[in-house]
């Protein structure tokens, strides 16, 4: 019997699990995908928002401001790179400036600090590539950037170290009430627990419905994003925002923690939760919008793109205890700024659990710190030299575009990567300008070796996404490639 | 810091030809850096024939063509070959930093020839819309998987682009027992050699669609199908021309771009349209003493042309060194 089961291994679920792992509790985290962070948390802008552009009394606004603070301390504990780059919301007209002032007031009401209206000369000096049609901006210095995957993976790793049991490829498909506890059926197993935290992202409504709760639905709102070549990493010094619209914060010029600038996202309501396709129309929209902000952006520098779906359930987050299913906490509608808010959501959930009867006793030993993962690309010459001397496999470069060594790839696998995407998210291998053309076969071989799997079992992101369909070395002479399944 | 007269980066046909010619022209201190564990570069995976026709007046496979230069270079002691040597940094003063098993090295070159070849344009660079499942490969990666690793990437293939690599891979998939459903070309004609169109596509009755493009890739985990449409002269979609092709693999072969990120890092002027160095002479760059040859200077159709170009480059570097 678990004290708590957390459903969903995204930024929110792992933050909740890690926060709970401070206490003497038996905790399980269930994730349907092959690896953690394969849901919304893999496809977002990676911005740690300061708290601007939120309604003054909103829950998400409050948790965003608090999350912005918490991310700093937790990323230090976990060895995740957080960079405070600051953001500029820009104005083209006098009416725009009036709106900026309103945004400033709303943000100050939420407790966002350091806001400042800056003029043209400030912008010319500090953000030279910005369009000269921009006359002023609201500067929010506390905005930052983080790698959303590494945030999620490192939280989960630390949670596991503190005793959380993590089960991937474990899709919850039924939940029943059995007296004082829940029984959760997932992937052929039953997990019994007294408390349940539903952090299922886009599918939080489906989990709730299993418990008879049907007063909200999740509507996906798709966002397409386009990554530019690292060569353009000095495009802007800040995150650049237009004025927000009712549906989103607008299409942005983003700095990512890996160095590549990114442009996007779009905001388009869809019916299909699995629709993460990109479109020509989306690209055109993004290019037109961002060129208004930074005319120097060149479409030819695009090296990658993706789409993510924001789990929208009304205007605000829904985080509550379900009286109709006592012991269940719903965490739903965690659209942007959900990544930022994730550690604050975790605290909020723990408080709710306490209020509803969970006894929280701190462990004597909570492993607060995690050893920082080594990335050769950010190590600098002397450190890289030392690393390579100590372990030559740091000098065995597999990914030439992003400079990722065999050692880092093996380490990522030892820490839980099971797929090519999982390796990419952890190490950046295959994420550069050649998009894996040169290194994919080598990565496949390393993964096969480390997991003792045949090459035909190596997949991009889990079952159904195998990279290759046949291996000559495994076939009887004469060739059997013609037989077997048609696509 | 070690000093060398001539450092050559890249051990494919370009780097090898440049090294041999520079040596013939009197350069006696040459360091050739290659990141792979073999010389030969991309030719090692080009097991089809068609190499050497103009240079050797013989028909050779890629590995055979490369092998002749490897043999010559191994018999030239003044050329030091350093394999598994990956250059990570370069400055305008021709100081190179490279990683080699167990250590990082820094070397100063008096003259430098970059022969780093090219990479393939990706699906992302030409913005093919749709999902991002497994089963989308650059033609070169598919070639490596089949020819080097013995793996079959898919069984029902649609090829985007009718350049030589795309055409050759069409035949390669057929020979491996896969089906090639179509070759899709956005232009009116193929960039590929006539012989490849005949021998790799027509002989196998593979449909070749000119003035067409992929409007969308479908499939959640693995490619399931593509939507194809006709395009007008401005490459815009023609109304009501869409049709679908079921497939499990999309091979993207839409051209090559020179790999010049290292010299760009060093401040050499680069034409961002072509990714080639901006220069007033073939193989030269905006920085005296830094030369570029082979496909990293300009994408050639034939390895034989790369060899000719690179021999010229080796000579230029020798002249540069003798004048100093
Ligand atoms: C385009 C875009 C840009 C964004 N930019 C930002 C930003 O810059 N800053 C910011 O703060 N936020 C941003 N967000 C929002 C942020 O990404 C999300 O709020 C956050 O990732 C939500 O995390 P999550 O853990 O709730 O969801 P998820 O990451 O989706 O996690 C839910 C998990 O539950 C699993 N699951 C679902 N059903 C089941 C089941 N039945 N059984 C087991 N497991 C199940 C899913 O597989 C998934 O892994 C952006 C979002 C998008 C789409």
């Amino acid at each position: 019997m678990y004290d708590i089961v957390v459903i969903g291994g995204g930024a929110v679920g792992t933050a909740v699990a890690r926060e709970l792992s401070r206490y003497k509790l038996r905790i399980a985290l269930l994730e349907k995908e092959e690896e953690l962070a394969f849901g919304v948390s893999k496809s977002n802008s990676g911005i740690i928002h300061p708290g601007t552009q939120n309604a003054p009394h909103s829950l998400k606004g409050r948790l965003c401001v608090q999350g912005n603070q918490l991310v700093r301390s937790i990323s230090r504990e976990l060895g995740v790179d957080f960079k405070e780059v600051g953001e500029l919301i820009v104005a083209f007209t006098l009416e725009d400036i009036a709106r900026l002032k309103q945004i400033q007031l709303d943000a100050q009401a939420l407790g966002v600090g350091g806001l400042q209206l800056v003029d043209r000369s400030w912008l010319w000096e500090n953000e030279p590539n910005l369009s000269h049609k921009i006359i002023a901006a609201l500067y929010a210095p506390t905005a930052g950037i983080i790698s959303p995957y590494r945030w999620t993976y490192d939280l989960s790793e630390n949670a596991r170290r503190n005793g959380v049991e993590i089960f991937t490829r474990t899709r919850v498909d039924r939940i029943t009430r059995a007296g004082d506890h829940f029984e959760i059926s997932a992937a052929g197993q039953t997990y019994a627990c007294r408390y349940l935290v539903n952090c299922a992202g886009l599918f939080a409504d489906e989990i709730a419905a299993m418990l008879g709760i049907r007063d909200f639905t999740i509507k996906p709102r798709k966002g397409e994003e386009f990554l530019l070549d690292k060569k353009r990493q000095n495009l802007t010094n800040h995150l650049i925002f237009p004025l927000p619209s009712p549906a989103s914060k607008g299409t942005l010029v983003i700095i990512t923690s890996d160095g590549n600038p990114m442009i996007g996202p779009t905001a388009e309501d869809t019916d299909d939760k699995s629709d993460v396709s990109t479109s020509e129309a989306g690209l055109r929209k993004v290019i037109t919008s961002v060129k208004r902000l930074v005319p120097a952006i060149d479409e030819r520098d695009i090296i990658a793109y993706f789409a993510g779906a924001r789990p929208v359930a009304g205007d605000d987050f829904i985080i509550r205890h379900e009286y109709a299913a006592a012991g269940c906490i719903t965490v739903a509608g965690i659209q942007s700024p959900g990544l930022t808010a994730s550690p604050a959501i975790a605290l909020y959930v723990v408080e709710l659990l306490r209020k509803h009867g969970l006894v929280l006793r701190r462990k004597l030993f909570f492993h607060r710190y995690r050893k920082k993962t080594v990335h050769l690309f950010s190590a600098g010459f002397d450190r890289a030299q030392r690393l390579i001397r100590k372990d030559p496999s740091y000098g065995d470069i597999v990914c030439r575009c992003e400079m990722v060594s065999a050692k880092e790839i093996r380490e990522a696998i030892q820490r839980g990567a099971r797929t090519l995407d999982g390796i990419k998210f952890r190490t950046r291998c295959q994420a550069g300008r050649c998009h894996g053309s040169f290194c994919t076969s080598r990565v496949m071989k390393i993964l096969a070796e480390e997991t003792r799997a045949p090459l035909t079992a190596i997949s991009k992101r889990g079952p159904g996404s195998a990279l290759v369909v046949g291996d000559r070395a495994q076939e009887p002479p004469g060739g059997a490639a013609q037989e077997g399944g048609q696509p | 810091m070690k000093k060398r007269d001539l450092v050559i980066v890249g051990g494919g046909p370009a780097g090898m030809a440049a090294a041999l010619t520079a040596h013939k022209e009197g350069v006696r201190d040459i360091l050739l850096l290659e990141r792979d564990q073999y010389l030969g570069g991309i030719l090692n995976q080009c097991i089809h024939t068609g190499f050497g026709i103009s240079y050797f007046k013989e028909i050779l496979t890629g590995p055979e063509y490369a092998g002749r230069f490897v043999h010559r270079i191994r018999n030239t002691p003044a050329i030091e070959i350093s394999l598994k040597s990956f250059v990570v940094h370069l400055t305008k003063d021709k100081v190179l930093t490279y990683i080699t098993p167990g250590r990082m090295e820094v070397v100063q070159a008096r003259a430098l020839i970059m022969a780093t070849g090219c990479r393939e344009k990706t699906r992302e660079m030409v913005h093919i819309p749709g999902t991002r499942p497994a089963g989308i490969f650059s033609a070169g990666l598919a070639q490596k998987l089949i020819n080097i690793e013995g793996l079959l990437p898919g069984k029902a293939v649609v090829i985007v682009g009718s350049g030589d690599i795309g055409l050759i891979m069409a035949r390669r998939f057929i020979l491996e027992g896969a089906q090639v459903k179509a070759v899709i070309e956005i232009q009116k004609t193929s960039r590929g050699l006539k012989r490849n169109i005949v021998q790799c596509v027509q002989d196998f009755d593979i449909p070749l669609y000119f003035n067409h493009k992929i409007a969308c890739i479908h499939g959640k985990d693995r490619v399931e199908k593509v939507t194809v449409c006709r395009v007008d002269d401005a490459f815009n979609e023609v109304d009501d021309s869409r049709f679908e092709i079921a497939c499990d693999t999309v091979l993207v072969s839409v051209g090559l771009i020179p790999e010049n990120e290292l010299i760009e890092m060093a401040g050499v002027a680069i034409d961002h349209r072509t990714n080639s160095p901006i220069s007033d002479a073939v193989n030269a760059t905006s920085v005296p003493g830094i030369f570029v040859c082979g496909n990293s200077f300009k994408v050639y159709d034939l390895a034989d042309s790369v060899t000719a170009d690179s021999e010229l480059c080796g000579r230029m570097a020798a002249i540069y060194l003798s004048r100093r």
Side-chain angles (χ1 to χ4, degrees):
Chain A
M1 170 81 73
Y2 290 97
D3 295 305
I4 300 176
V5 166
V6 178
I7 302 176
V12 174
T14 53
V16 168
R18 193 243 183 191
E19 189 54 39
L20 285 168
S21 71
R22 295 174 193 274
Y23 304 98
K24 291 182 180 160
L25 298 167
R26 192 163 172 230
I27 306 162
L29 184 147
L30 313 183
E31 167 56 53
K32 71 178 165 64
E33 297 295 324
E34 186 78 7
E35 294 192 41
L36 304 179
F38 274 22
V40 187
S41 301
K42 79 163 182 300
S43 41
N44 56 59
S45 309
I47 299 172
I48 299 305
H49 290 289
T52 49
Q53 303 118 314
N54 287 305
H57 300 294
S58 58
L59 177 60
K60 66 179 182 185
R62 214 176 82 211
L63 295 178
C64 179
V65 175
Q66 191 190 0
N68 181 291
Q69 289 306 309
L70 289 168
V71 164
R72 294 156 199 263
S73 52
I74 297 177
S75 56
R76 263 195 308 276
E77 292 170 359
L78 300 181
V80 189
D81 291 317
F82 165 81
K83 212 156 119 202
E84 185 176 71
V85 291
E87 77 179 30
L88 293 168
I89 310 173
V90 302
F92 288 88
T93 63
L94 291 175
E95 292 87 84
D96 287 356
I97 295 184
R99 283 190 62 196
L100 286 185
K101 288 187 173 150
Q102 188 56 46
I103 292 175
Q104 182 174 18
L105 286 176
D106 288 352
Q108 278 163 346
L110 280 167
V112 180
L115 295 173
Q116 190 189 342
L117 267 172
V118 294
D119 62 10
R120 229 180 188 143
S121 62
W122 189 98
L123 292 172
W124 283 13
E125 191 163 322
N126 294 288
E127 202 58 275
N129 282 339
L130 213 57
S131 162
H132 288 187
K133 295 200 181 111
I134 291 169
I135 56 171
L138 180 63
Y139 174 44
T142 55
I145 51 172
I146 205 163
S147 157
Y149 338 109
R150 290 201 275 275
W151 169 254
T152 306
Y153 289 129
D154 294 351
L155 278 170
S156 72
E157 218 178 277
N158 187 247
R160 185 183 279 137
R161 171 116 204 267
N162 286 300
V164 174
E165 295 169 47
I166 296 178
F167 302 91
T168 52
R169 251 171 119 164
T170 305
R171 177 201 296 270
V172 173
D173 33 44
R174 207 156 48 86
I175 307 173
T176 50
R177 186 88 221 195
D180 65 341
H181 66 275
F182 297 104
E183 284 187 354
I184 302 174
S185 321
Q189 299 288 323
T190 303
Y191 300 82
C193 62
R194 267 186 276 277
Y195 289 87
L196 171 67
V197 188
N198 170 8
C199 306
L202 283 166
F203 305 91
D205 54 349
E206 291 170 28
I207 297 290
M210 293 176 197
L211 291 157
I213 299 153
R214 293 200 168 79
D215 63 344
F216 68 91
T217 50
I218 305 278
K219 295 247 187 320
R221 182 174 296 152
K222 191 163 91 170
E224 300 183 28
E225 311 236 35
F226 301 83
L227 277 148
L228 308 184
D229 196 299
K230 228 179 199 167
K231 287 188 238 176
R232 303 285 164 262
Q233 59 177 304
N234 299 320
L235 190 68
T236 65
N237 302 317
H238 304 85
L239 304 159
I240 311 294
F241 287 64
L243 280 164
S245 76
S248 83
K249 299 185 190 70
T251 304
L252 326 173
V253 182
I254 301 161
I255 306 172
T256 65
S257 62
D258 296 316
N260 310 67
M262 185 159 80
I263 52 179
T266 55
E268 182 203 340
D269 291 321
T270 72
D271 299 321
D272 180 359
K273 289 178 178 177
S274 67
D275 175 11
V276 285
S277 61
T278 54
S279 64
E280 183 62 29
L283 171 65
R284 294 273 76 84
K285 236 186 264 172
V286 167
I287 290 285
T288 328
S289 324
V290 296
K291 271 181 146 338
R292 231 176 54 120
L293 306 174
V294 179
I297 287 171
D298 187 343
E299 198 178 323
R300 286 186 303 238
D301 287 324
I302 293 174
I303 60 156
Y305 41 73
F306 63 82
R310 306 165 183 87
V312 179
D315 289 334
D316 209 343
F317 294 166
I318 301 173
I319 309 175
R320 65 186 187 199
H321 175 258
E322 300 291 356
Y323 288 93
C328 168
I329 307 288
T330 294
V331 184
I334 310 299
Q335 49 174 308
S336 187
L339 175 69
T340 312
S342 56
I345 293 173
L347 286 180
Y348 193 89
V349 166
V350 172
E351 255 340 285
L352 276 177
L353 286 165
R354 189 202 305 271
K355 233 168 87 188
H356 290 91
L358 179 68
V359 180
L360 297 169
R361 279 176 300 138
R362 279 188 183 274
K363 282 179 190 158
L364 215 49
F365 276 111
F366 170 64
H367 301 281
R368 174 188 302 270
Y369 297 101
R370 183 190 157 276
K371 196 166 165 257
K372 188 175 167 131
T373 311
V374 174
H375 295 288
L376 207 61
F377 72 82
S378 55
F381 182 85
D382 291 336
R383 175 110 197 281
Q385 178 77 288
R386 275 200 307 280
L387 287 169
I388 293 168
R389 285 230 170 93
K390 212 173 75 190
D391 187 337
S393 62
Y394 273 117
D396 180 2
I397 303 294
V398 175
C399 170
R400 55 167 87 166
C401 305
E402 297 294 318
M403 214 171 123
V404 184
S405 64
K407 172 78 180 178
E408 290 157 78
I409 294 170
R410 284 185 204 280
E411 227 173 57
I413 299 165
Q414 283 149 17
R415 296 204 326 270
R418 286 294 170 274
T419 62
L420 291 196
D421 276 358
I423 292 174
K424 174 165 79 183
F425 296 154
R426 286 174 176 87
T427 65
R428 292 209 42 75
C429 175
Q430 324 151 67
R433 55 181 76 94
C434 93
H435 235 260
S437 282
F438 290 115
C439 64
T440 298
S441 63
R442 179 83 198 281
V443 185
M444 288 172 68
K445 283 197 275 192
I446 296 176
L447 184 54
E449 213 177 286
E450 290 285 325
T451 57
R452 297 198 176 77
L455 284 163
T456 44
I458 301 301
S459 74
K460 181 170 162 59
R461 59 170 86 103
S465 67
L467 262 288
V468 297
V469 300
D471 185 350
R472 286 279 175 262
Q474 306 298 320
E475 279 166 18
Q482 280 89 334
E483 289 143 33
Q486 272 293 308
Chain B
M1 191 179 353
K2 278 184 213 147
K3 289 207 162 113
R4 306 297 294 252
D5 283 348
L6 177 60
V7 176
I8 298 174
V9 182
M16 291 193 290
L20 286 164
T21 307
H23 180 260
K24 208 164 87 194
E25 299 289 325
V27 185
R28 284 297 169 267
D29 175 29
I30 303 176
L31 173 64
L32 177 65
L33 300 172
E34 164 57 48
R35 73 181 136 214
D36 213 334
Q37 48 187 326
Y38 316 100
L39 292 173
I42 208 73
L43 288 181
N44 289 324
Q45 68 185 58
C46 300
I47 61 172
H48 52 279
T49 59
F51 299 89
I53 300 171
S54 78
Y55 194 80
F56 290 113
K57 311 278 180 264
E58 276 180 70
I59 300 179
L60 305 172
T61 64
E64 284 171 334
Y65 184 86
R68 299 211 172 169
F69 292 93
V70 175
H71 181 74
R72 289 182 193 177
I73 239 174
R74 295 249 179 241
N75 288 318
T76 314
I79 302 174
E80 183 192 336
I81 303 161
S82 181
L83 297 173
K84 293 192 187 170
S85 300
F86 181 83
V87 179
V88 291
H89 193 72
L90 175 65
T91 71
K92 227 178 172 119
D93 310 320
K94 304 188 269 292
V95 176
L96 295 105
T97 308
Y98 63 96
I99 300 177
T100 191
R103 60 184 201 281
M104 261 165 122
E105 291 277 356
V106 182
V107 57
Q108 162 115 55
R110 289 179 59 212
L112 175 66
I113 296 178
M114 300 298 290
T116 44
C118 53
R119 64 173 176 269
E120 285 177 276
K121 284 193 185 154
T122 60
R123 175 241 177 136
E124 287 74 18
M125 287 191 70
V126 292
H127 312 316
I128 302 177
T131 54
R132 292 166 307 289
I136 304 170
F137 299 90
S138 71
L141 173 58
Q143 187 180 46
K144 186 170 182 182
L145 290 171
I146 296 178
N147 291 350
I148 307 280
E149 313 295 349
L151 299 169
L152 187 61
K155 289 183 176 165
V157 188
V158 168
I159 297 176
V160 190
S162 67
D164 288 310
I165 312 176
L167 299 173
I168 281 163
M169 286 314 295
R171 176 175 63 188
R172 195 72 192 89
F173 269 98
I174 298 270
L175 296 179
E176 287 299 316
Q179 248 183 311
V180 177
K181 296 286 194 85
V183 176
I184 312 287
E185 171 60 61
I186 196 167
Q187 306 280 351
K188 286 194 180 75
T189 54
S190 166
R191 282 174 291 117
L193 298 168
K194 180 81 194 153
R195 66 165 194 248
N196 284 333
I197 295 186
V198 175
Q199 294 169 9
C200 299
V201 175
Q202 289 174 353
D203 286 358
F204 297 102
D205 296 326
I206 298 169
L208 172 52
Y209 295 90
F210 292 111
N211 300 314
H212 278 74
K213 71 174 181 187
I214 296 208
C216 194
I217 296 176
H218 308 267
K220 186 169 176 291
D221 296 317
R222 175 88 196 189
V223 174
E224 287 161 17
K225 62 182 181 188
V226 293
T227 304
V228 179
C229 67
R230 202 147 46 79
V231 296
D232 60 22
D233 289 344
F235 304 130
N236 291 317
E237 178 172 348
V238 173
D239 290 344
D240 299 323
S241 66
R242 286 193 172 208
F243 61 98
E244 288 181 347
I245 304 178
C247 57
D248 66 3
T249 301
V250 175
L251 221 62
V252 181
S253 179
V254 288
L256 304 166
I257 8 170
E259 282 240 283
N260 281 314
E261 277 62 35
L262 277 168
I263 55 172
E264 188 174 5
M265 182 196 295
V268 169
I270 296 287
D271 177 342
H272 287 293
R273 207 170 33 85
T274 58
N275 221 36
S276 284
I278 297 171
S279 69
D280 43 17
V282 175
N283 297 337
T285 68
S286 62
V287 177
I290 297 185
F291 302 90
V292 179
C293 69
N295 276 354
S296 50
F297 185 78
K298 156 178 179 272
V299 175
Y300 289 94
D301 284 337
L302 295 168
D304 299 60
S305 319
V306 165
T307 303
D309 164 277
S310 305
E311 290 184 337
L312 187 69
C313 188
R315 200 165 298 129
M316 284 170 70
I319 294 168
Y320 171 85
L321 285 168
S322 68
R323 283 200 186 139
R324 284 190 12 150

